[in-house]
Amino acid sequence: MRSFKSSLFILVLHFLEGALNNSLIQLNNNGYEGIVIAIDPTVPEDEGLIQQIKDMVTEASPYLFEATEKRFYFKSVSILIPQNWKTKPDYVKPKLETYKNADVLVEPNQPGNEEPYTEQVGKCGDKGERIHFTPDFLAGKMLNQYGLQGRVFVHEWAHLRWGVFDEYNNDEKFYLLKNKPEAVRCSADITGKYEEVKCQGGSCVVGRPCSFDKVTGLYKEGCEFIPHKQQTVKTSIMFAQSIDSVVGFCTEKNHNKVAPNMQNQKCNLRSTWDVISDSEDFKKTTPMTTDPPNPTFSLLQIGQRIVCLVLDKSGSMANDDRLNRMNQAVKLFLLHTVEYGSWVGMVIFDSQAKVQSELKQITSNTDRDALIQSLPTVASGGTFICSGLRSAFTVIRKKYPTDGSDIVLLTDGEDNTISGCFNEVKESGVIIHTVALGLSAAEELEHLSQMTGGLQTYASDETQNNGLIDAFGALSSGNGAISQRSIQLESKGSTLENLQWMNGTVIVDSTVGKDTLFLITWTKKEPQIFLWDPSGTRQNGFVVDKATKLAYLQIPDIAKVGIWKYSLQASSQTLTLTVTSRASSATLPPITVTSRTNKDTGKFPSPMIVYANIRQGISQILRASVTAVIESASGKTVTLELLDNGAGADATKNDGVYSRYFTGYDTNGRYSVKIWALGGINTARQRAVFQANGAMYMSGWIENGEIKLNPPRPENNKTQNKQVCFSRTSLGGSFVASDVPSAPIPDLFPPCQITDLRAKIYGYSLINLTWTAPGDDYDHGQASKYIIRISTSILDLRDKFNDAVQVNTNDLIPKEANSEEIFVFKPENITFENVTDLFIAIQAVDKVNLESEISNIARVSLFIPSAPETPSPDDTSAPCPNVSINSTIPGIHILKIMWKWIGELQLTLA
C-alpha cells in the first residue's frame, strides 16, 4: 500500500508541473504532447480554419526542431471546436481540455488587431499564459508583416514555454553605439537601411534618408529600419523570425547585450538561448539523432455541460452551521451560476454515498427548484470521499461519458483514503472542482483538482467572509459563450449588533444586467431588507427561505444601469450579500475579472504572487482600484492593493493585469484569495492593438535593392477617457502554505528587484535616475537604503557588481514601496576619455540587511555633436526640480568637451 501511495504522489507531482496556468502540455521523448488550441465560441464557423491550424503546427515543428538544435518538436495537438459549430463524425468529446487550460486561443478578427501575441505575467524563465491568434492571421493575410505562420508560432512558443522576451523595441527603436545610432535588433549583424517613412490612410511611402536629432544623436521620429529580405545571419527568432535566413535563437556569442529591449531588461542581459538552455525542458532532453514525425491532431468539440454535485453531510458538517451554509451556497449555484441547458445531478456522502438526484437538464426555474429540494437537511456519519466520487461517476455514466464532465466536491472532513481513487479519477476524464471547508478538510483534497485541472477553493468558518458562496459562485462554465457566464458584482458580509445596519452600493454597468440576482443570507433571524434601484425606487418581492436562512430577488429583464443601494438591519448575527448577473447583450462583451496566484502551493519564505486580469473583450481596463483579501487557515486576513505599475510583482505597466507579492504568512495550511475591483472616474478602457509580447510587425523589406513597404501599423493603445464605472468580485482560488515557522515570524523577505531603472544625463556632468521604490519585504513597506554602482562595462557591472564604483547615497532615503524615486548625482572615479557609455544598477537593502537582486541595468550614452552651434539662451538643461542632488562627488572629464552648452543627452536602457 505504501508503494502504491508513493507512486500516486509522484503522479500528482507530474500533473502539478503545469499548475501555473493549468496547461496539459507534457514533454515526452523530445515531443510536446497535450497542446490545446481552442477556437473561441464567437468565431464564425469555418471548417478551413481547422486545416489552417494544422498547417501552422505542421510547418512549425521542423522549424522548432532545427532552432533548438534537434531537441524539441510538436508531437500531438488537440483542437477545441465550439459547441455552436456543426457536429461531425470525427469530432469527439474533450476530456480535460477546456478553454481555461487552452495554450492557444483563436479569437475573432478585429479591425487593425491582427497581431499574434502571448500573455506573459511572470519573470524571465516563467511560463507564459496563452498564445493569441486570429483567423485572418492563420489564413495567411499577414505574411508580409509577420512571415510564415509556423515561424510565428515558434516565436510565440518561446514566450509561452520558456519565458523569453522580444529582442526589438517599438517604443525605443534606436540607441547610440560608439556615438552612432543603431536599430534595436539581435543579432546586430542583420543588415538594412534607415529610411524616413510617411504613412497616410492605408499606405506608406519612403521619404528621404533619416535625419539626426542634434541633441540626442538618434534618428528623428518617422525613421524606420528596413531590413534586407535576403540575409545571411541565422539569428534571432525573437527579433524577426520573418527573415528567411533566421533559423535560431541568439546565443551568448551573437547576443546583442547593449540593445534596449525586453529580453535584456527582463533577463539580465542573457541571450534567449541561455534562458532556454536553463529550462526544465532542456535539462530533461538530449538532441535527437533522427528527424521527428509530423504532429498528430485530435478534433474535440465542446458539448453540453454535465455537472454532478458531491456534497459532504458527515457529522462534522453540523459544526459552525456548515451544512446550512453549504446549502445556501449550492442554492446560489443552482439558482444562477449553472447555465441553462446544463445537466446537473447530486450525490451526498458520509461514510457511504447516496444519489439525491439523477442528471436533470436545466430548462426552467422548475428544474432548478427540484434540485434545490434535494439538498441534505441532516448531518451525520463519517467521511468517505471516494464513495461520493464513485457514485458521481455512476450518475454521469447513466446518460453520458464522464470525459469532460464536472464534479463539484465539497468536504470538511478528514479522510486519508482519497488516494485510493486517484487512478479512477485519472481514467474517468472528469474535471473535479474542490471546496475545502474548515480546518480539517482532507489534506490530499487539492490533488484531485490539480490533477484534473479543476478549481481549488477554501472556505473558512468565518461566515462574514462569504467564502462558501464565493466558491460556488465561481463555478460558471468556461467553455460556453461569455455572454452566458455568471458574473459576480458584489460579495460582502458583516456581523451586526444591536440593530446595526449593513449599508452599501453595487454598480450595475452597461455591460451586465441580465438575470441579475440579489442574494442575502443570515445566521439567526431574517433581517430587515431594503434595496433601491438607481432611480430611487425600492425593490420588493424578495423570496424568503426561512429554513435555509436566505432571501433572494431576481430582477426581471435587464437591471437598470447605475448605482443600486442596499440597507440591511439585524442584531447579534452575521449577514452576507451577493449580487450576480450576466452580460446585457450577446454582442457587447462584459467587463470581467479573472484572478489567481502564481502557484497552488508555497513554501515559506517564498512569496506568492496574486494576479487580477481585468478586460472587456480585447480591451484592457486601466487605473481600476483592485484589492485582494487573503484569508489564512487561522482566520487572519491580509489586504493587498494590486497594482498595474510595471514594478515589483507586476511584469508590464498598463496592460490590465494587476499584481502584488504576498508575504503575510501566519500559519501552515490553506489560504483563500478574493478580489474586489472597482472602476471609477479615473478608470479607462484601452484597446491595445500591439501587445507587449508578440511577433514584430515589419514595416517593410528591401528586395533586390527596392524598398517595399507594408501598410501602416494601426495606432496603438487607444485609451478611451470616458469613465468606466463597474464593480466586480472574483475568487482567486486557494493555495496551501508549508514550512511557516511559529510566531514571531522571522523577517526573511528581502526587497524586490527594481526592474524599471532609467537614467538621463543633464548638463555636462549630472546623471538623473528614476525608478519605482521597492519595499522592506518585496513590494511592501520601506527599504532602508540603496546601493548604486556604476561602470563603463555592462558585463562587469552585471557579473562583478560589488567591485564596481559605488555612488554616494548618504542623502538618499528610500520612499514607501511603489513610490517614484528620483536621484541626481555626479559620477566619481570614471573618466570618459575613451568611452561614451556609462552603466548603472541599484540594489535595495532592508532593515535586517537582506539585499534585493541587482536591478535592470540603465545606460547613459554621451553624444558628441559634430560641430558647435550657437546656444539658445533659454536652454538651461536643468535637472528635475525638487529632487536630491548629490553635490559632494567630484566632476568627471567628458572627452575634454569645450561646449558647456550641451543640453539634455540621450539615454538608452540596456
Side-chain angles (χ1 to χ4, degrees):
M1 183 69 176
R2 181 183 302 272
S3 174
F4 175 68
K5 290 186 71 175
S6 175
S7 63
L8 285 172
F9 181 70
I10 293 172
L11 173 68
V12 169
L13 291 180
H14 175 71
F15 274 95
L16 288 179
E17 289 178 354
L20 176 63
N21 59 357
N22 295 307
S23 174
L24 302 178
I25 296 172
Q26 296 182 38
L27 182 60
N28 184 8
N29 293 328
N30 299 82
Y32 287 109
E33 300 177 330
I35 303 166
V36 178
I37 300 180
I39 301 172
D40 189 274
T42 56
V43 171
E45 184 167 355
D46 178 7
E47 190 175 351
L49 182 59
I50 296 172
Q51 186 60 47
Q52 291 160 4
I53 293 171
K54 292 180 178 181
D55 291 344
M56 177 186 69
V57 179
T58 302
E59 177 183 78
S61 189
Y63 187 63
L64 176 69
F65 187 65
E66 294 301 324
T68 57
E69 299 181 354
K70 303 183 185 300
R71 280 185 180 268
F72 306 117
Y73 70 99
F74 297 121
K75 191 173 184 180
S76 68
V77 173
S78 296
I79 300 176
L80 208 55
I81 299 167
Q83 181 180 352
N84 56 359
W85 285 28
K86 294 176 183 177
T87 59
K88 296 203 170 183
D90 53 342
Y91 296 173
V92 299
K93 190 176 181 181
K95 291 189 177 181
L96 304 183
E97 299 88 356
T98 66
Y99 283 95
K100 178 183 176 183
N101 59 31
D103 307 291
V104 182
L105 182 62
V106 181
E107 298 176 302
N109 294 314
Q110 297 286 339
N113 188 62
E114 304 300 332
E115 180 185 0
Y117 72 97
T118 303
E119 297 174 64
Q120 281 182 277
V121 300
K123 294 184 176 181
C124 180
D126 290 345
K127 289 183 175 68
E129 301 292 292
R130 181 174 294 167
I131 298 169
H132 294 255
F133 293 131
T134 65
D136 278 356
F137 167 79
L138 292 169
K141 296 182 180 180
M142 310 296 289
L143 286 176
N144 287 334
Q145 292 90 330
Y146 296 114
L148 294 171
Q149 299 94 313
R151 285 173 165 242
V152 174
F153 186 37
V154 172
H155 176 105
E156 302 307 330
W157 185 264
H159 284 306
L160 180 79
R161 190 65 187 179
W162 304 310
V164 299
F165 291 86
D166 291 318
E167 293 168 335
Y168 63 90
N169 189 338
N170 283 326
D171 297 323
E172 191 175 344
K173 297 180 179 180
F174 308 106
Y175 67 104
L176 283 179
L177 183 64
K178 297 179 181 179
N179 211 39
K180 178 185 175 183
E182 290 283 349
V184 174
R185 62 198 190 278
C186 194
S187 73
D189 293 331
I190 292 173
T191 62
K193 292 183 179 180
Y194 298 92
E195 299 287 346
E196 184 182 85
V197 175
K198 295 182 178 181
C199 299
Q200 186 173 7
S203 62
C204 298
V205 296
V206 175
R208 57 187 179 181
C210 295
S211 57
F212 294 90
D213 186 303
K214 294 178 180 179
V215 175
T216 66
L218 297 174
Y219 292 118
K220 291 183 178 179
E221 186 177 354
C223 182
E224 295 285 347
F225 174 74
I226 313 295
H228 291 102
K229 188 69 173 177
Q230 300 300 319
Q231 303 271 350
T232 58
V233 292
K234 296 185 177 182
T235 59
S236 167
I237 289 171
M238 299 314 292
F239 171 67
Q241 76 295 322
S242 52
I243 296 174
D244 291 342
S245 65
V246 169
V247 292
F249 297 95
C250 265
T251 66
E252 193 65 21
K253 292 181 180 179
N254 52 33
H255 177 56
N256 186 356
K257 298 180 179 63
V258 296
N261 55 43
M262 289 288 284
Q263 175 64 23
N264 280 328
Q265 182 176 350
K266 295 283 189 182
C267 296
N268 197 23
L269 313 180
R270 298 168 66 195
S271 70
T272 52
W273 185 246
D274 185 40
V275 176
I276 293 169
S277 301
D278 199 37
S279 68
E280 289 301 314
D281 289 353
F282 195 94
K283 294 173 183 177
K284 292 191 295 188
T285 57
T286 57
M288 295 174 61
T289 58
T290 60
D291 290 342
N294 285 333
T296 61
F297 298 91
S298 301
L299 304 182
L300 313 177
Q301 187 169 32
I302 297 295
Q304 292 173 309
R305 190 181 186 192
I306 314 298
V307 187
C308 189
L309 302 171
V310 180
L311 308 176
D312 188 348
K313 59 161 290 289
S314 61
S316 56
M317 288 291 290
N319 301 332
D320 297 295
D321 199 30
R322 289 175 183 168
L323 187 72
N324 191 64
R325 288 168 50 220
M326 176 187 76
N327 288 345
Q328 292 171 342
V330 174
K331 192 163 185 177
L332 171 68
F333 177 80
L334 295 174
L335 280 173
H336 191 271
T337 306
V338 68
E339 301 81 5
Y340 276 103
S342 302
W343 291 82
V344 182
M346 186 185 300
V347 170
I348 61 174
F349 70 94
D350 42 45
S351 54
Q352 60 183 6
K354 178 184 177 183
V355 177
Q356 292 289 94
S357 174
E358 301 290 353
L359 287 180
K360 181 183 294 293
Q361 189 173 27
I362 305 295
T363 60
S364 66
N365 288 337
T366 302
D367 299 318
R368 296 180 184 273
D369 291 339
L371 284 160
I372 289 171
Q373 298 305 314
S374 301
L375 288 168
T377 56
V378 178
S380 63
T383 306
F384 186 24
I385 292 170
C386 283
S387 69
L389 293 176
R390 287 166 181 148
S391 291
F393 296 158
T394 301
V395 167
I396 295 170
R397 285 170 180 154
K398 285 182 179 180
K399 272 195 171 292
Y400 295 100
T402 50
D403 288 346
S405 299
D406 289 342
I407 286 179
V408 179
L409 170 63
L410 177 145
T411 184
D412 75 335
E414 297 180 6
D415 183 354
N416 58 10
T417 67
I418 297 181
S419 60
C421 53
F422 277 2
N423 272 346
E424 295 169 71
V425 168
K426 181 176 180 293
E427 292 169 0
S428 72
V430 78
I431 299 168
I432 299 181
H433 310 282
T434 57
V435 183
L437 176 57
L439 294 175
S440 301
E443 291 184 3
E444 292 178 296
L445 182 65
E446 282 81 6
H447 294 339
L448 293 168
S449 51
Q450 290 163 0
M451 72 166 64
T452 63
L455 177 66
Q456 67 177 51
T457 58
Y458 161 68
S460 73
D461 287 319
E462 301 295 325
T463 307
Q464 71 275 7
N465 292 337
N466 213 22
L468 264 183
I469 286 180
D470 291 338
F472 279 86
L475 293 172
S476 185
S477 172
N479 281 335
I482 194 170
S483 61
Q484 300 301 313
R485 298 178 197 170
S486 177
I487 297 172
Q488 192 161 284
L489 308 185
E490 186 58 281
S491 169
K492 284 189 176 179
S494 182
T495 299
L496 305 180
E497 302 290 344
N498 300 321
L499 295 177
Q500 287 180 311
W501 290 90
M502 175 178 161
N503 301 315
T505 60
V506 180
I507 299 174
V508 176
D509 60 274
S510 61
T511 71
V512 294
K514 185 179 180 181
D515 295 339
T516 302
L517 177 77
F518 287 79
L519 180 78
I520 295 158
T521 73
W522 55 89
T523 54
K524 293 182 179 178
K525 183 180 178 182
E526 180 184 351
Q528 288 264 38
I529 300 173
F530 297 91
L531 175 67
W532 298 272
D533 71 13
S535 66
T537 302
R538 183 178 173 185
Q539 301 296 298
N540 298 307
F542 274 86
V543 177
V544 178
D545 181 349
K546 292 186 177 181
T548 315
K549 300 174 184 174
L550 63 78
Y552 64 90
L553 176 66
Q554 291 180 310
I555 307 298
D557 301 320
I558 305 295
K560 287 184 179 179
V561 172
I563 298 175
W564 292 64
K565 298 180 181 180
Y566 62 86
S567 292
L568 312 177
Q569 187 185 45
S571 294
S572 304
Q573 62 172 323
T574 300
L575 308 183
T576 72
L577 170 83
T578 306
V579 184
T580 58
S581 190
R582 300 189 199 278
S584 57
S585 166
T587 58
L588 177 66
I591 294 172
T592 59
V593 179
T594 55
S595 53
R596 64 170 182 81
T597 56
N598 64 321
K599 295 177 289 186
D600 291 326
T601 58
K603 287 188 176 182
F604 181 89
S606 175
M608 302 295 292
I609 301 177
V610 181
Y611 300 106
N613 191 345
I614 309 182
R615 290 283 189 276
Q616 184 185 358
I618 64 170
S619 297
Q620 306 154 342
I621 303 299
L622 308 184
R623 300 190 294 277
S625 174
V626 185
T627 304
V629 176
I630 295 95
E631 181 186 6
S632 72
S634 70
K636 176 185 175 183
T637 59
V638 174
T639 301
L640 301 178
E641 180 188 7
L642 305 190
L643 303 173
D644 187 14
N645 62 352
D650 193 60
T652 305
K653 185 175 182 178
N654 290 338
D655 66 345
V657 178
Y658 298 73
S659 318
R660 201 73 183 272
Y661 285 108
F662 169 73
T663 59
Y665 298 100
D666 72 312
T667 186
N668 290 315
R670 296 180 173 98
Y671 289 67
S672 66
V673 181
K674 182 176 181 176
I675 303 295
W676 271 286
L678 187 66
I681 57 174
N682 294 319
T683 307
R685 183 186 298 105
Q686 173 178 278
R687 180 185 171 194
V689 178
F690 288 87
Q691 304 287 340
N693 308 296
M696 179 168 62
Y697 186 102
M698 197 64 69
S699 58
W701 299 98
I702 302 174
E703 295 186 67
N704 300 319
E706 181 183 354
I707 297 177
K708 297 181 179 180
L709 296 179
N710 288 318
R713 295 173 56 198
E715 184 180 348
N716 195 24
N717 297 339
K718 295 182 179 179
T719 302
Q720 300 176 8
N721 293 321
K722 182 181 179 181
Q723 293 181 15
V724 183
C725 296
F726 67 93
S727 62
R728 297 288 187 274
T729 62
S730 172
L731 192 68
S734 65
F735 62 89
V736 179
S738 60
D739 293 349
V740 179
S742 302
I745 307 294
D747 183 357
L748 299 179
F749 299 109
C752 64
Q753 181 188 30
I754 295 167
T755 58
D756 60 351
L757 177 65
R758 297 181 179 273
K760 284 186 178 181
I761 289 182
Y762 282 102
Y764 49 91
S765 62
L766 294 179
I767 294 178
N768 182 79
L769 301 180
T770 60
W771 68 94
T772 301
D776 179 81
D777 297 337
Y778 286 90
D779 53 7
H780 304 277
Q782 186 173 345
S784 293
K785 65 178 181 179
Y786 293 116
I787 299 172
I788 302 177
R789 295 186 184 272
I790 57 179
S791 175
T792 58
S793 168
I794 192 170
L795 292 183
D796 284 350
L797 186 62
R798 182 190 71 175
D799 301 333
K800 303 174 184 178
F801 180 78
N802 291 333
D803 295 337
V805 174
Q806 185 169 349
V807 175
N808 184 344
T809 57
N810 290 337
D811 296 331
L812 177 58
I813 300 174
K815 296 180 181 178
E816 190 74 17
N818 299 299
S819 303
E820 182 186 21
E821 296 276 24
I822 303 174
F823 182 64
V824 182
F825 71 98
K826 291 182 178 181
E828 66 176 355
N829 300 328
I830 295 287
T831 300
F832 273 100
E833 293 185 0
N834 296 312
V835 297
T836 57
D837 296 321
L838 187 66
F839 301 97
I840 307 141
I842 302 182
Q843 192 175 41
V845 184
D846 72 4
K847 61 180 179 292
V848 294
N849 290 319
L850 294 175
E851 298 175 338
S852 72
E853 297 179 54
I854 308 303
S855 72
N856 66 294
I857 297 177
R859 172 177 178 261
V860 285
S861 295
L862 182 66
F863 169 62
I864 310 303
S866 56
E869 295 181 7
T870 304
S872 167
D874 297 327
D875 186 6
T876 59
S877 295
C880 296
N882 302 321
V883 299
S884 300
I885 298 180
N886 185 349
S887 58
T888 63
I889 305 173
I892 61 175
H893 300 290
I894 307 181
L895 291 175
K896 300 178 181 179
I897 300 174
M898 296 178 63
W899 314 302
K900 294 184 179 180
W901 48 264
I902 296 177
E904 180 181 314
L905 302 179
Q906 175 62 24
L907 150 75
T908 52
L909 289 175

